[in-house]
Amino acid sequence: MTAKISRFLEEVRPVTPCVVVDLDVIRDNYYSLRRWLPLAQVYYAVKANPAPEIVRMLAGLGSSFDVASRGEIDLCLANGVAAEAISFGNTIKKQRDIAYAYDRGVRLFAFDSEAELEKLAAAAPGARVFCRLLMTCDGAEWPLSRKFGCEFEMARDLLVRARDLGLDPYGVSFHVGSQQTDLAQWDLAVGKAAMLFTALDEAGIDLRMVNLGGGFPARYRKDIPAIERYADAVMTAMTNHFGNNIPAMIIEPGRSLVGDAGILETEVVLISRKSYDESVRWVYLDVGKFGGLAETMDEAIKYRIQTGHEGDDTAPVVLAGPTCDSADILYEKAQYEMPVTLAVGDRVRILSTGAYTTSYSAVNFNGFEPLKAYFI
Amino acid sequence: MTAKISRFLEEVRPVTPCVVVDLDVIRDNYYSLRRWLPLAQVYYAVKANPAPEIVRMLAGLGSSFDVASRGEIDLCLANGVAAEAISFGNTIKKQRDIAYAYDRGVRLFAFDSEAELEKLAAAAPGARVFCRLLMTCDGAEWPLSRKFGCEFEMARDLLVRARDLGLDPYGVSFHVGSQQTDLAQWDLAVGKAAMLFTALDEAGIDLRMVNLGGGFPARYRKDIPAIERYADAVMTAMTNHFGNNIPAMIIEPGRSLVGDAGILETEVVLISRKSYDESVRWVYLDVGKFGGLAETMDEAIKYRIQTGHEGDDTAPVVLAGPTCDSADILYEKAQYEMPVTLAVGDRVRILSTGAYTTSYSAVNFNGFEPLKAYFI
C-alpha cells in the first residue's frame, strides 16, 4: 500500500470494487529488473495488465513487449511501442494473425510445433523464431500445465526445420512457472537450453538467444526472495551453462512488474453463518472470482488482505464473491482469518492485485460490472 | 443443431468464435416446462444468458424473472418485464441495491441470514421474502457449494424473525444443484421444505410458496432424462409431502431453457504433439476457458462437439483454448476423441452452449475479444 494509493482512496472514495494502480511502483520494479539483470532485455507480458497507461509508460522507459494476440499488438502500436520491440510470444496463432503482425513489422515469433512453423514460414518469411521447451515446474505457486512447449528432441528438429523453411532459428524459450519460488528451477531450465544450443551447433545452426520467460513473483501471503536473489539465480545458471559466451537474454515479466503496484478496494456485502453449530463466518465481498479474482481458482493465489481493523482479535472465515454462482468462493481451505469486529459495509483492501485482475474480469457476469481500474 | 442455425452459419459465415442462439428452441423449452409443470410459475434465471433478445421474448410469453443484481433488474425493466414479475433471488445484496429494487417495484426477495433480513426490513418493508435452505447436492454435474442457504433450525428462526421485522414470510427455496440428474434429490429437498412449513405453522406463520430453484439439465455428453421425468419427480414429491394442499410453486430454470438453444462455432488454430513418444494430439481452438467455456472448469461440463468429419476414424485429443494462460485447457482427462482427419483451419461446433457462455467471457483476456452472439 503506497501513500499515493492510500491518499487516492481516501480523497476519491471510488465506487467499489475497483483496482488502483500506482504507476511509480511499476517504474521502480522495471528499474530494479534492469539494474539486477542488465544483460536481459525486458519484454513486458502485456496480458498481466493490458492498460494503455502501463504500456505507454513502459514504452517510454525502453521496455519491449511480449504479446499474446492481434488485439495486444494493436494496443502496443497505439501506445508508442515500435514493431521491433514486440515479440509475438503465443505459440498458438492463426496464420492470418501472424500475417497481420508481420505486415505491421513484427519480426519475432514463438512456436513449439511443426504446424505453427509452417504457418510462420508462409506468413512471416525470414522472421526470427524461437522454440519453446516444455519444462516441469516444481515449486511454482501457479504451476503451468503441459499446454506450451515441446520436448527436447522435437525442439531440436523443429529449429533445424525452421532454417530449412527460410526462417531465422534465433533461440529457445522456456517458462519455469508463474510465481516460481524454487530458485534451483532456473538452473535446470537454463541447462536444458544450453544443451539445445550444443545440439543445434552440431547441425550448423547458431542459436543466439535465450528467452527466460516470466516466473518472477509478486508478494502474496507468503514472503518471497528478493529480486536480487532471482537475478543471481538466473545469472549463475547462465554463467554455469554458457561460460563467457552468454547469448542475448530476454525476460518476460508480467506479475513481478505490475502485481505489487495494485490495490483492490472492495466492500463487505454480508457476514453470516450457515447454522448454529458452525463458528466459521462467511464473509461475502462485492468482488469475486468472476469480477477480477480469477486467480483464486483452486485457491492458488493467496492475497494479503487489510480490513482497517488490524490488531483486533481474529477468527476463521470463508471468503466469497457476490454472484449467484456457487463456484464464486475465494478461500474456503486456505485458513483465512478476519477480525471479529469486521462489519457489513466495511471497506477491505486486497493487496498485490495489479496483475491478472482487470483482464480476468467477466463481461458483466450476473449483471455485475467488470472491475474498474484507476492508474495514478 | 437446428436447421435455422445451420443455415445461418453457412450463409453468414460469422467470424469465430461466436454463439448462435435459436430463439425458437427457447420458446419451445418454455412451453414444455409450462405444459409439464402447469402449477409452477417460471422465473427465468437471467444469469444463464442475459441477452435482451431472450428476456424480451420470455417476457412476451408470460415468464417471470430471477435476477442476481441491480444490473439484471435494469436489464429486465428495460425489456418489457413488469417489476412484479421479478424475484431478487441473490441472498447476498447490498442494502442500497435492495432499496433500488424496492423503489422500482420489486417485492420478492431471497435471504439466508439474519444480517440480510435486517437489510430487507430496512430497505424493503413489507416485502415477500423467502428463505433459502442449504441442501447437499449429490448427483449434480455442476455441484453447488455451501455458499447459499442455511440449515433448517436457522431457517425456521429467521422466518419467524422476518414476520417480527414487518416482512412477509412467504416461503422457502432450495436448489438441488445445476444439471442434477438424480431425480430422488427432489423428494429429499421437497420433504425438507414441507417440514419447514409444519414448523412455521406451529409458530403461527402460514408459508405459501415453495421455490424449487433450477437444476433441470441441458444435454451435454451424457444422455439426460426427459423433461417429463423431471416434472414427474417434482410433482410426485410435492404431492407426497404436501398432499392436496400444494402451495404456490416457483421454478428458476436457466440452463434447461437456453442451453440447448445455442451452438458455438469455433476454428481449429493448431494441432500438435508434445514429443515423438506421445500419440495424443493437442487441439487448440479459438475459444477457451476465458472466452466463454468457463464451465469446463475442472472438466465439469462436457460439451458435445461436431467437427464435420463425422464417421472418420478418431483418436484421443487434449482440447485447449488460444490464450497464453496455461490453465486455459478444456479437456485433458475427459477422454475426448476427434477425427484423425481434423485439420488446422477447420470449423468445429460445440453444442448446447446457449447457457453460461457469453456471460462467462472475460473482458478481452489476452487481447482476445469476448464471445460474440447472434440471436436468430
Side-chain angles (χ1 to χ4, degrees):
Chain A
M1 170 69 74
T2 66
K4 205 166 139 196
I5 294 181
S6 183
R7 200 163 53 234
F8 176 87
L9 287 172
E10 272 148 45
E11 283 169 10
V12 177
R13 290 273 303 172
V15 172
T16 60
C18 69
V19 166
V20 186
V21 174
D22 186 341
L23 293 170
D24 296 348
V25 175
I26 300 177
R27 193 177 48 226
D28 290 349
N29 287 342
Y30 178 81
Y31 284 137
S32 254
L33 275 178
R34 294 289 300 140
R35 175 175 170 203
W36 295 105
L37 277 175
L39 289 186
Q41 175 63 25
V42 173
Y43 280 71
Y44 171 56
V46 174
K47 58 185 173 288
N49 192 326
E53 291 86 347
I54 295 175
V55 171
R56 264 199 306 276
M57 186 188 69
L58 287 173
L61 298 178
S63 181
S64 297
F65 296 83
D66 165 48
V67 303
S69 66
R70 187 168 152 158
E72 289 189 353
I73 291 172
D74 290 342
L75 170 74
C76 285
L77 294 177
N79 285 283
V81 178
E84 309 82 64
I86 293 176
S87 166
F88 202 159
N90 194 341
T91 53
I92 308 151
K93 300 176 288 295
K94 291 181 181 172
Q95 186 167 319
R96 56 185 177 278
D97 290 344
I98 296 170
Y100 184 89
Y102 190 79
D103 284 350
R104 274 148 195 81
V106 176
R107 290 291 179 274
L108 184 59
F109 296 86
F111 73 94
D112 65 3
S113 67
E114 186 168 15
E116 192 73 10
L117 210 47
E118 281 162 11
K119 289 186 231 164
L120 286 166
R128 289 178 165 180
V129 295
F130 56 95
C131 185
R132 181 152 169 182
L133 268 175
L134 188 59
M135 293 283 163
T136 54
C137 311
D138 299 336
E141 227 175 274
W142 186 248
L144 300 181
S145 64
R146 290 167 50 80
K147 183 175 175 189
F148 306 105
C150 62
E151 297 282 3
F152 188 89
E153 286 73 22
M154 190 177 271
R156 183 197 55 208
D157 296 353
L158 288 176
L159 283 162
V160 172
R161 182 142 167 73
R163 179 196 55 192
D164 298 345
L165 287 169
L167 295 160
D168 176 4
Y170 182 47
V172 56
S173 76
F174 56 81
H175 200 297
V176 295
S178 202
Q179 196 68 5
Q180 174 61 261
T181 50
D182 174 6
L183 298 182
Q185 295 295 321
W186 294 100
D187 192 66
L188 280 170
V190 172
K192 216 163 170 181
M195 278 168 61
L196 201 55
F197 270 62
T198 308
L200 269 293
D201 188 51
E202 284 160 13
I205 290 175
D206 187 26
L207 295 183
R208 290 111 68 208
M209 184 275 288
V210 172
N211 178 336
L212 299 132
F216 298 162
R219 204 191 139 209
Y220 300 115
R221 215 165 54 163
K222 269 202 314 205
D223 274 333
I224 52 166
I227 185 67
E228 298 91 296
R229 300 250 337 265
Y230 280 86
D232 190 50
V234 165
M235 286 317 299
T236 304
M238 289 297 290
T239 314
N240 270 351
H241 296 286
F242 287 98
N244 54 8
N245 198 11
I246 291 186
M249 289 168 60
I250 282 178
I251 52 174
E252 294 170 341
R255 191 183 298 279
S256 64
L257 269 180
V258 300
D260 294 335
I263 297 284
L264 197 160
E265 175 115 318
T266 172
E267 182 182 314
V268 176
V269 182
L270 181 66
I271 303 176
S272 69
R273 288 185 161 83
K274 295 286 150 191
S275 75
Y276 295 123
D277 312 334
E278 294 169 46
S279 63
V280 62
R281 287 167 301 161
W282 283 66
V283 174
Y284 300 90
L285 304 175
D286 68 0
V287 71
K289 246 184 181 133
F290 305 102
L293 300 178
E295 292 209 308
T296 58
M297 200 192 295
D298 299 325
E299 312 196 14
I301 295 287
K302 297 178 188 73
Y303 295 104
R304 287 170 293 154
I305 300 180
Q306 287 180 355
T307 59
H309 296 273
E310 276 67 38
D312 292 355
D313 286 345
T314 63
V317 295
V318 173
L319 271 169
T323 67
C324 280
D325 196 301
S326 71
D328 187 12
I329 295 179
L330 305 174
Y331 302 116
E332 196 168 8
K333 295 166 202 136
Q335 302 191 296
Y336 271 75
E337 301 223 334
M338 293 188 103
V340 295
T341 45
L342 189 74
V344 170
D346 282 353
R347 289 193 166 207
V348 160
R349 289 164 185 187
I350 307 181
L351 309 193
S352 299
T353 40
Y356 299 106
T357 47
T358 49
S359 58
Y360 259 125
S361 281
V363 180
N364 259 22
F365 189 64
N366 265 223
F368 292 99
E369 290 188 12
L371 192 60
K372 287 172 288 295
Y374 301 91
F375 299 88
I376 62 174
Chain B
M1 169 69 74
T2 66
K4 204 165 139 198
I5 294 181
S6 183
R7 202 163 52 236
F8 177 86
L9 287 172
E10 272 148 43
E11 283 169 11
V12 178
R13 293 266 311 166
V15 172
T16 61
C18 69
V19 166
V20 186
V21 174
D22 186 342
L23 293 170
D24 296 348
V25 175
I26 299 176
R27 192 178 47 227
D28 290 349
N29 287 342
Y30 178 81
Y31 283 137
S32 252
L33 274 177
R34 293 289 301 140
R35 175 175 171 207
W36 295 106
L37 278 174
L39 289 186
Q41 175 63 26
V42 173
Y43 281 71
Y44 171 55
V46 175
K47 57 184 174 286
N49 192 327
E53 291 86 347
I54 295 175
V55 171
R56 264 198 306 274
M57 186 188 69
L58 287 173
L61 299 178
S63 181
S64 296
F65 295 83
D66 165 49
V67 303
S69 66
R70 186 169 154 157
E72 289 188 352
I73 292 172
D74 290 343
L75 170 75
C76 286
L77 294 177
N79 285 283
V81 178
E84 309 83 65
I86 292 176
S87 165
F88 203 159
N90 194 343
T91 53
I92 308 151
K93 300 176 287 298
K94 291 180 181 173
Q95 186 167 319
R96 56 185 177 276
D97 290 343
I98 295 170
Y100 183 90
Y102 190 79
D103 283 351
R104 274 149 195 81
V106 177
R107 290 291 180 274
L108 183 58
F109 297 86
F111 73 94
D112 66 3
S113 66
E114 186 168 16
E116 192 74 11
L117 210 47
E118 280 163 10
K119 288 186 233 165
L120 286 166
R128 289 178 163 179
V129 295
F130 56 96
C131 185
R132 180 153 170 180
L133 269 175
L134 188 59
M135 292 283 163
T136 55
C137 312
D138 298 336
E141 227 173 274
W142 187 247
L144 299 180
S145 64
R146 290 167 50 81
K147 184 175 176 188
F148 305 105
C150 62
E151 297 282 3
F152 188 89
E153 284 73 24
M154 190 177 272
R156 183 196 57 209
D157 296 352
L158 289 176
L159 282 162
V160 173
R161 182 142 167 73
R163 179 196 55 191
D164 299 344
L165 285 169
L167 294 161
D168 175 4
Y170 182 48
V172 56
S173 76
F174 56 80
H175 200 297
V176 295
S178 201
Q179 196 67 7
Q180 174 61 262
T181 51
D182 174 7
L183 298 182
Q185 295 296 319
W186 295 100
D187 192 68
L188 281 170
V190 171
K192 216 163 170 181
M195 279 168 60
L196 201 55
F197 270 62
T198 307
L200 269 293
D201 187 52
E202 286 161 13
I205 289 175
D206 186 26
L207 294 184
R208 292 111 67 207
M209 185 276 290
V210 172
N211 178 334
L212 299 131
F216 299 163
R219 204 190 138 209
Y220 300 117
R221 215 166 52 166
K222 269 202 311 206
D223 273 333
I224 53 166
I227 185 68
E228 299 91 294
R229 301 252 335 267
Y230 279 86
D232 189 51
V234 165
M235 285 317 300
T236 303
M238 289 297 291
T239 314
N240 270 353
H241 296 287
F242 287 98
N244 53 7
N245 197 11
I246 291 187
M249 287 167 60
I250 283 178
I251 52 172
E252 294 169 341
R255 191 184 299 278
S256 64
L257 270 181
V258 300
D260 294 335
I263 297 284
L264 197 160
E265 174 116 319
T266 171
E267 183 181 314
V268 176
V269 182
L270 180 67
I271 302 176
S272 68
R273 289 186 159 85
K274 295 285 151 192
S275 74
Y276 295 123
D277 312 334
E278 294 170 45
S279 62
V280 62
R281 287 167 301 161
W282 283 66
V283 174
Y284 300 90
L285 304 175
D286 67 0
V287 70
K289 249 186 178 131
F290 305 102
L293 300 177
E295 292 210 308
T296 59
M297 201 192 294
D298 299 325
E299 312 196 13
I301 295 287
K302 296 178 189 72
Y303 295 104
R304 288 171 292 152
I305 301 181
Q306 288 179 356
T307 60
H309 296 274
E310 275 67 38
D312 292 355
D313 287 345
T314 63
V317 296
V318 174
L319 272 169
T323 67
C324 280
D325 196 301
S326 71
D328 186 11
I329 294 179
L330 306 175
Y331 301 117
E332 195 168 7
K333 294 167 203 136
Q335 301 191 297
Y336 271 76
E337 300 223 335
M338 294 189 102
V340 294
T341 45
L342 190 75
V344 170
D346 282 354
R347 287 190 168 211
V348 159
R349 287 161 188 190
I350 308 181
L351 307 193
S352 297
T353 40
Y356 300 107
T357 47
T358 49
S359 57
Y360 258 126
S361 281
V363 180
N364 260 21
F365 189 63
N366 265 223
F368 292 99
E369 289 187 12
L371 193 58
K372 285 171 290 294
Y374 300 92
F375 299 87
I376 61 174

